[in-house]
């Protein structure tokens, strides 16, 4: 249900019930997510754009979308913010898939040296 949990509680932060979001588990999850964002940002800026890095980012996109959707289904509600988060990640995944298809078909791409 839109903006309402299965238990009939109201009030959400990022798709998670406010009563859950104020707990230590949610705070720990937020810290872990922030750490991953910083690491992914560092990799995105510093790592060379090679097939393996894009594949790893694509795998991370799918894992994150699955885990987030499961968390919302079990402990929260779909809100505009949670839908936006899934949508942006899906757009990134589609962009990475497009790059991989182009990269694989591009015969002039530099080969990775061992």
């Amino acid at each position: 249900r839109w903006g309402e949990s299965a238990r009939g509680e109201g009030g959400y932060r990022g798709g998670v019930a406010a009563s859950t979001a104020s707990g230590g588990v949610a705070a720990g999850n937020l810290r872990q997510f922030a750490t991953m964002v910083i690491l992914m940002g560092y990799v995105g800026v510093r790592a060379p754009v090679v097939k393996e890095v894009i594949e790893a980012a694509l795998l991370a996109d799918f894992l994150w979308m699955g885990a987030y959707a499961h968390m919302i289904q079990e402990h929260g509600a779909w809100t505009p913010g949670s839908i936006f988060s899934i949508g942006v990640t899906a757009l990134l995944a589609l962009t990475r898939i497009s790059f991989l298809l182009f990269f694989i078909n591009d015969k002039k791409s530099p080969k990775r040296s061992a």
Side-chain angles (χ1 to χ4, degrees):
R1 287 171 270 175
W2 187 267
E4 192 175 317
S5 74
R7 290 181 226 99
E9 300 166 355
Y12 289 89
R13 294 182 195 150
V16 179
S19 60
T20 303
S22 62
V25 173
N29 287 341
L30 184 59
R31 282 190 295 275
Q32 181 183 15
F33 180 73
T35 302
M36 292 306 297
V37 167
I38 291 169
L39 288 173
M40 290 297 290
Y42 180 79
V43 167
V45 170
R46 301 291 299 175
V49 180
V50 294
K51 180 180 163 191
E52 291 80 8
V53 171
I54 301 300
E55 287 173 345
L58 182 60
L59 177 62
D61 288 339
F62 287 130
L63 291 173
W64 183 86
M65 283 190 295
Y68 190 66
H70 176 73
M71 182 189 72
I72 294 297
Q73 293 288 27
E74 295 295 319
H75 304 289
W78 289 102
T79 63
S82 60
I83 293 169
F84 178 78
S85 295
I86 290 285
V88 167
T89 306
L91 179 64
L92 288 171
L94 287 173
T95 303
R96 290 178 176 122
I97 289 169
S98 299
F99 175 81
L100 287 171
L101 291 174
F102 174 76
F103 187 84
I104 289 170
N105 293 328
D106 186 9
K107 304 294 186 221
K108 298 177 187 173
S109 295
K111 302 291 183 216
R112 184 174 178 211
S113 59

